[in-house]
Amino acid sequence: MSTVKHVPKTPVDPKAPGPMLKYQANLPKLPVPALSGTLQKYLQSVRPLLDDAEYQKTEQAAKEFESPGGLGQKLQERLVARAQDPSIVNWMEDWWLDQAYMGYRDPVVIYVSYFFLFKDDKLRKSPAQRAAAITTAALEFKQQVVNKTLSIEMAKGEPMCMDSYKYMFNNCRMPKKPSDYEAIFDPVNNNHVVVIRKNKFYVVDTIYQGKQLSTAELEHQFKRIIDQAGNSKGLPIGILTSDNRDKWTEYRENLVSANPENAKLLEKVESSDFVICLDDQTPVTRDEGSRACWHGDGRNRFFDKPLQFIVFENGKAGFMGEHSCMDGTATCRLNEYVCDGLSKDKINHGSIEIRSDIPQPTELDFKVNEKIQKDVEVATTNFENLIKKHELTVLAYQAYGKNLIKKFKCSPDGYAQMVIQLAYYKMFGTSRPTYESAQTRKFQRGRTETARTVTTESVAFVKTMEDPYATNEAKISALRTALKAQGAYMADAVNGHGVDRHFFGLKNCIQPGEEKPELFTQPINAYSSHWYLSTSQLSSENFDGYGWGQVVNDGFGCAYMIKNNALQFNVASVKDLEVHGKKYINGTYHFKHCLEEAANDLRDVMTTEIPAEAKL
């Protein structure tokens, strides 16, 4: 019986520069939702956070905002006009890039960047060997991006925006006041990787005499670097990239003015395919490996690069991504391609013969003066102080995963969200605003929208779960109702119909001299987007860790993976966080404990509903 192949509704562009972009020009534009729909959704999202009197005030402010001839209508008209402007591809893009990323002045490390920790590679235990294999696999992926042959990601039968892949290789975030910018270098003419070892920078050309270096040749080059770097540490120029963006802008100016040669050396790093960090650390546990990928010692890195592969002395490895131009779905795909390709032996490693005349890798010898040494000292102190304030721990929950959750007839993502909600309620006795990342890549240059997880239904669910007198039936019913609400909001968010980005757009349409409407100045407006829980899911059987920092200092960053037979939660926060005047000593670990309890409780309740044989 022949199966009918689904044909996307999006028409193919015959002028597309390659198969990867064949739908790109015809993808729908990011919509501006109807004002009334967003206001309704906003009121629903704040209802569980407010008492009756406060809620009535918020309802009143929404009515005024929407009234005919009111400011809300004016702002909506301006936003719609911007969205319809043929010269603007995506009404949110420039505002978002500047306000969420480039204009943000805190360090990228901890606050912006994210990491993946890979599972161990049983075949490749030495750092040079593992780094070489990762490089070959990543370069294979680069070829598909450059040739525009990378297969298009699809969601529910429709193509996703593939535009952000242009920011992956041969790119770098550049520090500048008041707002950074992205430098994009020609990926065809730049064929080199930069390797950092003992804080020293080395260039490895990946093509010699017209032929790409094989994995064996790359391994040979990386071994040469390890030998050349020896045991003495260099002045860590890389740590300058870990500081506040204004400070790094100044440091970079000092570096360039110290010697004109330094600008060329920096450009070698900035224009490289990616960076390989050959660390001399040997992390063993998931917590150690995750922290080493999240920030390491800050010195053996160049934090502005969108791609840094990190390989440790004991052969463990991971990845760190700079977040400003690319979201995690694209880099997750790259890393999945690398890890999966290597573990299943799908990567072409080339000849095992090593050409004897390949030149030695060159060290980038930065010319420094006292001022730069002082900058390095200051940046090092600032980095150490930043790291000292933060805690990270991983719950690798091995009791069950996606397979059992599907037997419960639940959405795995919604289920994991409710585990997080229940854990938070166990620890704090209340529910607080929660961000879940929803991707809007079905639209041209779409990035993310917020799915607001806390609903009247989720609050009822956590209360029912913690009620010792509630029956299992009542608990299951409360979960299913909460999952339905979570799924509905997520579906709207993916379609560009959330609250947060629409409000962001409306706020950006307020002109100088115009008074901010009460809807935006009420305390609940800021509170309902103060993300006590910042959550996001990316899942891979090849990863042993994935995470980032919290977005507010009285909250948690909670990255999670849903594997077939395991759940994994990465909990990050400030050490001993303080929430609403109360200090939680070891709070990061307490939340991890509550996540485990919540996952156990939920399983115990849900298994009462399925027949014994289905549990196996």
Side-chain angles (χ1 to χ4, degrees):
M1 192 178 117
S2 67
T3 54
V4 180
K5 198 177 173 204
H6 172 81
V7 178
K9 291 191 197 83
T10 310
V12 170
D13 172 15
K15 297 195 192 102
M20 171 175 131
L21 300 173
K22 69 178 178 181
Y23 296 114
Q24 193 62 35
N26 295 323
L27 288 175
K29 287 177 88 165
L30 184 71
V32 175
L35 192 57
S36 58
T38 298
L39 292 174
Q40 214 39 55
K41 196 175 262 102
Y42 174 63
L43 289 171
Q44 277 175 347
S45 77
V46 298
R47 186 66 197 98
L49 309 172
L50 293 170
D51 62 27
D52 291 352
E54 287 298 320
Y55 180 69
Q56 271 177 332
K57 280 188 208 163
T58 311
E59 250 186 336
Q60 191 49 42
K63 271 201 190 91
E64 281 168 26
F65 186 74
E66 203 189 355
S67 62
L71 185 57
Q73 302 283 2
K74 261 191 224 153
L75 298 178
Q76 178 76 352
E77 279 163 24
R78 287 172 198 164
L79 190 56
V80 167
R82 179 180 169 91
Q84 289 172 348
D85 181 337
S87 68
I88 292 174
V89 174
N90 179 315
W91 64 259
M92 200 180 86
E93 185 177 35
D94 292 345
W95 287 340
W96 186 251
L97 186 61
D98 180 55
Q99 291 163 50
Y101 290 109
M102 295 304 195
Y104 182 78
R105 305 326 278 160
D106 279 337
V108 289
V109 62
I110 299 291
Y111 294 115
V112 179
S113 300
Y114 59 97
F115 70 87
F116 303 125
L117 174 66
F118 300 160
K119 279 191 167 167
D120 291 346
D121 185 333
K122 303 278 189 286
L123 289 174
R124 301 172 183 91
K125 302 277 192 181
S126 85
Q129 193 185 22
R130 186 142 198 210
I134 288 170
T135 301
T136 297
L139 289 175
E140 198 169 282
F141 195 87
K142 176 191 166 176
Q143 269 329 106
Q144 294 181 34
V145 172
V146 173
N147 298 337
K148 300 180 177 55
T149 55
L150 186 68
S151 63
I152 297 166
E153 285 150 63
M154 308 290 278
K156 301 211 162 136
E158 287 305 307
M160 307 279 259
C161 177
M162 300 293 284
D163 179 75
S164 69
Y165 283 98
K166 69 179 184 226
Y167 299 117
M168 190 171 265
F169 299 96
N170 313 98
N171 266 254
C172 198
R173 179 170 171 161
M174 304 292 282
K176 192 182 178 190
K177 295 179 188 179
S179 191
D180 293 356
Y181 64 98
E182 189 77 5
I184 304 179
F185 299 87
D186 180 1
V188 177
N189 294 322
N190 286 289
N191 293 291
H192 63 281
V193 296
V194 163
V195 179
I196 317 178
R197 171 72 176 176
K198 301 283 183 186
N199 312 337
K200 303 164 193 174
F201 291 74
Y202 298 87
V203 176
V204 174
D205 287 317
T206 59
I207 292 174
Y208 177 60
Q209 292 180 342
K211 190 177 162 202
Q212 185 177 308
L213 270 61
S214 67
T215 302
E217 289 172 331
L218 286 166
E219 184 182 342
H220 176 66
Q221 293 295 70
F222 294 163
K223 278 179 177 161
R224 281 172 148 183
I225 287 170
I226 291 168
D227 292 344
Q228 206 179 321
N231 291 317
S232 65
K233 300 240 178 183
L235 184 74
I237 296 296
I239 199 143
L240 300 175
T241 64
S242 75
D243 213 333
N244 168 286
R245 303 306 296 173
D246 286 347
K247 290 205 176 92
W248 163 221
T249 305
E250 290 162 19
Y251 300 156
R252 193 181 186 284
E253 283 163 6
N254 294 342
L255 199 53
V256 169
S257 58
N259 189 308
E261 194 59 28
N262 288 344
K264 290 180 195 159
L265 302 183
L266 281 169
E267 191 170 294
K268 267 292 184 198
V269 182
E270 292 150 3
S271 63
S272 64
D273 290 332
F274 46 83
V275 167
I276 296 273
C277 308
L278 291 173
D279 277 21
D280 55 11
Q281 290 175 282
T282 52
V284 174
T285 66
R286 282 190 188 88
D287 281 20
E288 288 169 349
S290 295
R291 279 208 81 138
C293 292
W294 190 29
H295 54 71
D297 70 357
R299 297 159 178 83
N300 211 55
R301 299 280 182 278
F302 198 86
F303 290 110
D304 286 6
K305 284 295 284 182
L307 311 177
Q308 293 191 91
F309 294 100
I310 304 156
V311 182
F312 301 100
E313 201 74 349
N314 55 358
K316 279 191 179 292
F319 167 87
M320 184 183 205
E322 197 286 308
H323 207 318
S324 52
C325 286
M326 247 186 330
D327 295 312
T329 49
T331 51
C332 179
R333 182 171 178 193
L334 160 70
N335 282 279
E336 177 73 0
Y337 182 94
V338 168
C339 295
D340 198 56
L342 293 174
S343 74
K344 292 180 179 159
D345 202 19
K346 293 190 289 196
I347 304 297
N348 177 6
H349 291 288
S351 170
I352 52 168
E353 299 295 320
I354 296 167
R355 289 171 280 176
S356 57
D357 57 344
I358 293 176
Q360 185 85 10
T362 49
E363 185 178 350
L364 299 178
D365 185 15
F366 289 97
K367 304 289 182 279
V368 300
N369 53 25
E370 273 180 42
K371 198 178 208 177
I372 289 157
Q373 286 173 328
K374 181 82 185 122
D375 287 346
V376 166
E377 274 172 42
V378 173
T380 303
T381 305
N382 291 346
F383 174 83
E384 298 291 353
N385 289 339
L386 177 67
I387 297 313
K388 254 192 288 201
K389 288 181 198 149
H390 288 85
E391 198 63 271
L392 175 152
T393 187
V394 181
L395 172 65
Y397 181 81
Q398 309 285 4
Y400 64 96
K402 183 166 62 180
N403 292 345
L404 186 63
I405 295 168
K406 284 192 159 174
K407 284 179 183 169
F408 296 153
K409 297 190 168 51
C410 294
S411 141
D413 183 68
Y415 187 97
Q417 281 290 321
M418 291 310 139
V419 168
I420 294 168
Q421 284 305 310
L422 181 55
Y424 195 90
Y425 189 76
K426 279 173 177 288
M427 183 162 168
F428 296 97
T430 189
S431 298
R432 293 198 178 105
T434 300
Y435 166 97
E436 182 185 1
S437 178
Q439 60 166 348
T440 51
R441 279 180 57 201
K442 59 163 27 179
F443 303 107
Q444 268 187 40
R445 298 201 205 151
R447 291 195 60 173
T448 57
E449 171 58 280
T450 303
R452 293 185 166 205
T453 305
V454 174
T455 55
T456 304
E457 293 86 351
S458 77
V459 172
F461 156 70
V462 295
K463 287 182 173 170
T464 308
M465 280 297 292
E466 288 298 281
D467 176 356
Y469 303 106
T471 63
N472 285 335
E473 289 74 21
K475 290 173 179 178
I476 292 168
S477 167
L479 171 67
R480 297 212 183 278
T481 308
L483 287 178
K484 206 171 168 186
Q486 186 268 351
Y489 199 118
M490 177 54 87
D492 282 348
V494 165
N495 286 316
H497 286 262
V499 168
D500 292 86
R501 303 295 185 259
H502 190 188
F503 272 17
F504 172 80
L506 294 170
K507 286 172 183 175
N508 271 286
C509 289
I510 298 172
Q511 290 169 354
E514 280 182 333
E515 204 179 326
K516 273 193 179 169
E518 195 197 338
L519 187 72
F520 294 158
T521 59
Q522 287 179 328
I524 186 61
N525 189 272
Y527 178 77
S528 68
S529 57
H530 183 91
W531 309 120
Y532 291 87
L533 282 164
S534 168
T535 74
S536 183
Q537 186 221 142
L538 281 176
S539 296
S540 167
E541 297 289 339
N542 292 301
F543 298 168
D544 222 3
Y546 147 62
W548 68 87
Q550 75 292 344
V551 296
V552 292
N553 282 344
D554 50 0
F556 297 104
C558 188
Y560 59 100
M561 292 195 281
I562 303 170
K563 299 185 181 185
N564 289 332
N565 297 303
L567 299 171
Q568 192 156 314
F569 300 91
N570 186 88
V571 184
S573 72
V574 295
K575 207 170 270 188
D576 304 335
L577 77 166
E578 191 174 300
V579 186
H580 293 223
K582 185 178 173 187
K583 204 167 178 62
Y584 292 83
I585 305 294
N586 279 336
T588 324
Y589 294 93
H590 290 184
F591 188 57
K592 170 188 178 175
H593 174 78
C594 291
L595 283 165
E596 187 170 357
E597 275 198 348
N600 286 339
D601 287 2
L602 215 42
R603 175 200 55 193
D604 293 347
V605 168
M606 294 307 291
T607 44
T608 63
E609 201 187 47
I610 58 173
E613 67 274 10
K615 296 173 197 174
L616 302 173

